[in-house]
Amino acid sequence: MIRYAKPTTVDEALALLGEDRWRILAGGTDFYPAQGNKPFRENILDINGLTALRGIVESETHWLIGARTTWTDLVRHPLPAAFDALKAAACDVGSVQIQNVASIAGNLCNASPAADGVPALLVLDAEVELRSAKALRRLPLGEFILGNRRTALASGEMVTAIRVPKPAAGGTSAFVKLGARRYLVISIAMAAARLVVDDGAVAEAAIAVGACSAVARRLTGVEAALLGLPANEALCRVVLAAPIDELSPIADVRGSAQYRQDAARELVARAVLGAIGHTAGDQVAA
């Protein structure tokens, strides 16, 4: 017999997860399209009644984003400029109606290579908080998403929060997405950049690209190439020449592998310029 449960407390939800196998239902914006017209064959744990998992709070060491926090919640919440890339990504997640109900943790657990929120969270050094009835553990986001539709979520666990350490919430950031149209589109490629500028030079750089490999990747070669350079439009030339060895794009109906590779470099350059308050203009090829 298929079971359906809608707990009202996190402890109740964790107890249920510990006694049986469940498919977790949060916002439902990925859940229902994936189900289609097929009959339900798994127990459904509806966590939409867990009010404790919705909202954003600041602690002494971290910014804590509850697992059920929606993209609209995120956009409306006052956050440091380092979160601007994440807010821009939030505005590109489907339509406004989807943003109103889709959860941030659901975007991570769905583990699509084209998940819009992942690059912007990677540049914030985000970690995922996982809880079961017996334990709590935290994983860097890069270790939580293992591949296309694969995560490190263990049996009996659920994501309860996304944590951004205060040191990674410095500087300014930008997000750029390439798709076949402006809205309601799966990304061909996307890039997020967060830069800390000190005395006119790049003191810290965090760059990530999504939809160009099985999981979104930080670009350590580009990050290293930017350090110490004057924070001006010349940074785009450095990006265009820097190594990008972390990507392994595929070819599909949205674009060839080479197109994605070239587009990713252009998007990174635009995101870097956006993070320091410049527009791409003629500095980056269209």
Side-chain angles (χ1 to χ4, degrees), residues 216-235:
R217 298 287 190 190
R218 285 277 294 264
L219 303 185
T220 56
V222 176
E223 293 172 356
L226 295 176
L227 292 179
L229 298 180
N232 56 40
E233 292 187 353
L235 292 179

Side-chain angles (χ1 to χ4, degrees), residues 147-282:
N148 185 12
R149 311 295 180 180
R150 295 191 301 116
T151 72
L153 195 66
S155 177
E157 281 186 330
M158 66 183 292
V159 175
T160 51
I162 296 94
R163 296 161 52 90
V164 174
K166 285 288 188 69
T172 52
S173 67
F175 173 83
V176 185
K177 172 177 174 173
L178 174 65
R181 57 182 183 269
R182 181 64 183 88
Y183 294 108
L184 292 168
V185 64
I186 297 174
S187 297
I188 297 171
M190 58 185 138
R194 181 179 63 85
L195 299 182
V196 176
V197 177
D198 184 18
D199 198 23
V202 178
E204 183 179 339
I207 313 292
V209 167
C212 289
S213 45
V215 297
R217 298 287 190 190
R218 285 277 294 264
L219 303 185
T220 56
V222 176
E223 293 172 356
L226 295 176
L227 292 179
L229 298 180
N232 56 40
E233 292 187 353
L235 292 179
C236 73
R237 293 195 293 271
V238 176
V239 171
L240 296 177
I244 301 183
D245 300 324
E246 295 87 353
L247 305 183
S248 53
I250 63 168
D252 61 13
V253 295
R254 288 183 290 277
S256 69
Q258 187 59 55
Y259 176 70
R260 277 192 167 88
Q261 186 83 19
D262 295 341
R265 192 178 289 276
E266 298 284 345
L267 295 178
V268 169
R270 294 173 188 236
V272 165
L273 291 183
I276 60 171
H278 293 258
T279 55
D282 296 329

Side-chain angles (χ1 to χ4, degrees), residues 2-283:
I2 303 302
R3 300 172 65 190
Y4 170 85
K6 189 174 183 179
T8 56
T9 69
V10 174
D11 286 343
E12 182 185 356
L14 295 176
L16 288 166
L17 285 171
E19 69 182 35
D20 206 344
R21 295 184 64 85
W22 297 84
R23 186 177 174 197
I24 296 177
L25 167 62
T29 57
D30 287 315
F31 182 98
Y32 290 113
Q35 185 66 31
N37 294 323
K38 301 187 296 291
F40 288 104
R41 301 190 184 279
E42 301 170 280
N43 297 328
I44 307 301
L45 185 66
D46 186 343
I47 65 168
N48 285 294
L50 302 184
T51 56
L53 296 187
R54 184 170 179 178
I56 302 171
V57 297
E58 180 183 5
S59 74
E60 290 185 3
T61 59
H62 288 78
W63 286 93
L64 306 174
I65 304 171
R68 283 195 53 246
T69 303
T70 69
W71 295 108
T72 298
D73 293 337
L74 178 80
V75 169
R76 293 176 176 174
H77 195 88
L79 289 164
F83 285 83
D84 286 354
L86 186 58
K87 289 191 174 190
C91 294
D92 277 338
V93 175
S95 63
V96 171
Q97 293 91 334
I98 289 173
Q99 294 161 21
N100 287 343
V101 296
S103 67
I104 297 175
N107 192 247
L108 305 185
C109 292
N110 193 44
S112 166
D116 289 320
V118 176
L121 284 168
L122 283 175
V123 302
L124 289 168
D125 293 340
E127 59 183 18
V128 181
E129 180 180 279
L130 307 168
R131 285 185 60 187
S132 69
K134 298 180 179 180
L136 180 150
R137 64 186 180 121
R138 300 182 179 109
L139 286 178
L141 178 56
E143 295 179 18
F144 174 73
I145 301 177
L146 302 178
N148 185 12
R149 311 295 180 180
R150 295 191 301 116
T151 72
L153 195 66
S155 177
E157 281 186 330
M158 66 183 292
V159 175
T160 51
I162 296 94
R163 296 161 52 90
V164 174
K166 285 288 188 69
T172 52
S173 67
F175 173 83
V176 185
K177 172 177 174 173
L178 174 65
R181 57 182 183 269
R182 181 64 183 88
Y183 294 108
L184 292 168
V185 64
I186 297 174
S187 297
I188 297 171
M190 58 185 138
R194 181 179 63 85
L195 299 182
V196 176
V197 177
D198 184 18
D199 198 23
V202 178
E204 183 179 339
I207 313 292
V209 167
C212 289
S213 45
V215 297
R217 298 287 190 190
R218 285 277 294 264
L219 303 185
T220 56
V222 176
E223 293 172 356
L226 295 176
L227 292 179
L229 298 180
N232 56 40
E233 292 187 353
L235 292 179
C236 73
R237 293 195 293 271
V238 176
V239 171
L240 296 177
I244 301 183
D245 300 324
E246 295 87 353
L247 305 183
S248 53
I250 63 168
D252 61 13
V253 295
R254 288 183 290 277
S256 69
Q258 187 59 55
Y259 176 70
R260 277 192 167 88
Q261 186 83 19
D262 295 341
R265 192 178 289 276
E266 298 284 345
L267 295 178
V268 169
R270 294 173 188 236
V272 165
L273 291 183
I276 60 171
H278 293 258
T279 55
D282 296 329
Q283 299 297 317

